Amino acid sequence: MGEFELIERYFAKVGPGRADVVLGVGDDAALLTVPAGHELAACTDTLVDGRHFPAGTRADDIGWRALAVNLSDLAAMGATPAWATLALTLPAVDEDWLEGFVAGFAALATQHQVALVGGDTTRGPLTITVQALGFVPAGTALRRGGARPGDLLYVTGWPGDAAAGLALIEGRLAGQGANRAALEGKFRRPEPRLGFGTRLRGVASACIDISDGLAADLGRLAAASGVGATVRAAELPLSRALFALAGEDRAREFALGGGDDYELLFTVPPAARAALAAVTASAGAPACHCIGEIAAGRGVRIQGERGELALPRGWDHFAT
Ligand code: ADP
Ligand code: MG
């Protein structure tokens, strides 16, 4: 199969048709209409075989993940996704693999009304780069730098589950049955918090998505805001499955230091607590827990019942 045929067969019609796509796959560039009064939000993330997913990961899970990690970045900005591009490097044309990959990608794209509007296809070691594009009413995006002393710190969902799922897949954690399936599922199919992110506009003072571990990403939010942050270890939400398979101490390590959660970590000024309650009570909102607060100063502290806990290190590709 030639490159043109491959693109035509697999990538020409992925995701919904959208009226704001003037020109999609097929020309030298896509032409897209950003709604008036909005800013374009653009982000990109690369997945490398064996580095961002274990060797042997199903093609449909890779396709889902490649888009999910990008949509999570848009969620953390409070943006609404609209379009994506896909740069795909493949060792060979494997039709079964391509069909699976596109099915996983398209399932998430359709769920969030994202149209694939362009990309590039090359031969080489399996590497997937997706760019996600969306929009946000001008001036309202959620940034990392807006947290102030006294703000409350919240996290969605159940941090640590995905990292424990990966540990199960890689044999670093033991477990079977429904708990194992639940945790593995969290790793295999991350759910970007898109609807929730948009509803946090005007409520959250700062927001980041957790890709490299709660503590590490909180460190980034705090540094960008020029503040310090305290997490109360006892308030960390630990899912029943994580608790059952890892035990309390290790569950907390997964929650603080594991990555791949794609949950939102955000701060809320005390005056906006009622507004947050309305958001968390709205239909489809994920679980949301207050886990600490922002303080003057610098750095992240993990407050245990008997004093301060050591800080886990987040995922750093260039750490030696
Ligand atoms: P060019 O040589 O101008 O870069 P390409 O042959 O690389 O064009 O791509 C032809 C068309 O197919 C372009 O519109 C491009 O955006 C699209 N395309 C190529 N690869 C992909 C892909 N993996 N997913 C989506 N669109 C793709
Ligand atoms: Mg090209």
Side-chain angles (χ1 to χ4, degrees):
M1 192 181 336
E3 189 186 317
F4 177 79
E5 200 190 338
L6 189 151
I7 294 166
E8 200 38 47
R9 172 152 348 152
Y10 293 105
F11 303 118
K13 285 178 205 73
V14 177
R18 290 183 60 105
D20 52 17
V21 178
V22 179
L23 197 56
V25 169
D27 213 308
D28 293 314
L31 298 175
L32 310 165
T33 311
V34 179
H38 288 65
E39 287 158 351
L40 180 69
C43 61
T44 190
D45 256 319
T46 293
L47 303 188
V48 177
D49 187 16
R51 181 134 192 110
H52 298 92
F53 50 86
T57 300
R58 287 166 47 148
D60 57 340
D61 290 339
I62 298 171
W64 176 285
R65 179 174 209 80
L67 182 59
V69 300
N70 280 281
L71 296 187
S72 178
D73 282 324
L74 292 185
M77 297 303 289
T80 300
W83 317 291
T85 63
L86 167 65
L88 190 56
T89 302
L90 299 170
V93 175
D94 175 338
E95 296 192 23
D96 286 343
W97 191 92
L98 275 164
E99 254 156 51
F101 176 86
V102 170
F105 188 102
L108 187 63
T110 303
Q111 189 175 316
H112 293 292
Q113 296 296 299
V114 174
L116 182 65
V117 295
D120 197 28
T121 308
T122 54
R123 189 182 292 266
L126 179 61
T127 307
I128 305 117
T129 298
V130 170
Q131 178 184 46
L133 301 159
F135 44 80
V136 57
T140 70
L142 303 172
R143 303 181 185 208
R144 295 181 180 184
R148 296 294 170 261
D151 287 359
L152 300 161
L153 178 65
Y154 292 83
V155 69
T156 59
W158 308 96
D161 279 11
L166 178 59
L168 284 162
I169 291 167
E170 293 185 334
R172 291 178 281 111
L173 179 67
Q176 293 304 328
N179 289 331
R180 181 185 180 110
L183 298 178
E184 276 195 26
K186 295 289 266 305
F187 175 77
R188 290 177 45 232
R189 295 278 171 131
E191 294 278 353
R193 301 299 191 186
L194 282 157
F196 193 73
T198 59
R199 276 172 271 160
L200 286 179
R201 295 195 306 247
V203 177
S205 49
C207 186
I208 190 169
D209 70 319
I210 305 178
S211 52
D212 297 336
L214 193 159
D217 288 315
L218 177 56
R220 291 180 188 136
L221 183 150
S225 296
V227 297
T230 300
V231 174
R232 284 183 302 276
E235 310 290 333
L236 279 174
L238 302 176
S239 76
R240 230 178 276 195
L242 179 61
F243 200 96
L245 293 195
E248 185 170 2
D249 287 350
R250 208 165 163 210
R252 241 172 232 159
E253 283 170 27
F254 278 121
L256 286 167
D260 297 314
D261 293 307
Y262 302 104
E263 297 292 352
L264 297 182
L265 183 66
F266 60 97
T267 58
V268 173
R273 280 172 93 165
L276 177 65
V279 172
T280 57
S282 59
C288 190
H289 294 93
C290 183
I291 59 167
E293 65 229 344
I294 299 300
R298 289 286 182 277
V300 172
R301 294 170 57 243
I302 312 293
Q303 192 65 50
E305 265 121 74
R306 290 178 295 280
E308 204 167 318
L309 304 182
L311 212 55
R313 281 174 37 141
W315 185 244
D316 180 344
H317 288 278
F318 296 102
T320 45

